[in-house]
Amino acid sequence: PTGSTPTVRPAGSTGPQRVLLVDDSRSIRTLLKIYLMARSFEFLEAESAEEGLKVAEAEQVDLILTDFHMDGMNGADFAGQIRASTNARLSKVPILMMTGDPNVAEVRALGQKAGISAFVRKPVSCAQLMTLVDTILPLPRAAAK
């Protein structure tokens, strides 16, 4: 057959957008899911940047939310690894990095150098998080019911 087969899944065509939550705190991951419930995302979770990389390589994700401070690799290094991926789709995924670090400017600079899409300081409010997520990952047009 000479028909061209699309290599990229059209947004919204096969179910919900998928968000990867990378945070070593289960309670933070749960809170993020509650905050983002309005968008009916499908969630994938990882407790470390290393685990997050494995999930991101294995699964299709549309957005990554990562903490900065984690054991092992930090959020900025994780974002840098995602941006350096040989997988073209993965290397372009929007990344939102969060931190509770008092040295916000330094953490933000590290994240921006690594290629993050947005940055937010913890504790983040539901409204603040939704606004950022809507900005970096617009609703798929097909999702309008």
Side-chain angles (χ1 to χ4, degrees):
T2 54
S4 66
T5 53
T7 51
V8 179
R9 179 189 85 179
S13 67
T14 54
Q17 290 175 308
R18 302 177 88 192
V19 178
L20 172 58
L21 304 174
V22 184
D23 198 306
D24 49 12
S25 163
R26 178 186 302 240
S27 57
I28 295 284
R29 293 194 313 266
T30 301
L31 184 66
L32 292 171
K33 285 194 282 194
I34 292 167
Y35 280 0
L36 295 172
M37 274 168 41
R39 281 281 297 264
S40 43
F41 286 125
E42 190 175 300
F43 294 102
L44 302 164
E45 296 183 53
E47 286 186 47
S48 68
E50 290 80 2
E51 187 187 340
L53 279 173
K54 288 192 188 101
V55 174
E57 289 287 353
E59 301 283 344
Q60 162 122 10
V61 295
D62 298 296
L63 173 67
I64 298 171
L65 267 63
T66 183
D67 190 20
F68 175 71
H69 278 292
M70 296 179 282
D71 288 337
M73 191 188 312
N74 69 34
D77 291 341
F78 167 69
Q81 295 259 338
I82 294 288
R83 290 291 174 248
S85 172
T86 54
N87 177 331
R89 177 193 53 78
L90 180 59
S91 69
K92 294 181 177 65
V93 168
I95 302 170
L96 171 61
M97 191 171 78
M98 305 165 289
T99 189
D101 192 294
N103 198 341
V104 177
E106 185 180 320
V107 172
R108 181 191 303 256
L110 286 170
Q112 286 171 336
K113 197 189 295 183
I116 62 166
S117 313
F119 175 84
V120 69
R121 190 172 181 174
K122 289 180 181 175
V124 58
S125 72
C126 181
Q128 189 182 20
L129 188 66
M130 283 307 301
T131 300
L132 277 171
V133 167
D134 285 341
T135 303
I136 63 175
L137 183 68
L139 272 166
R141 285 182 194 85
K145 290 182 179 72

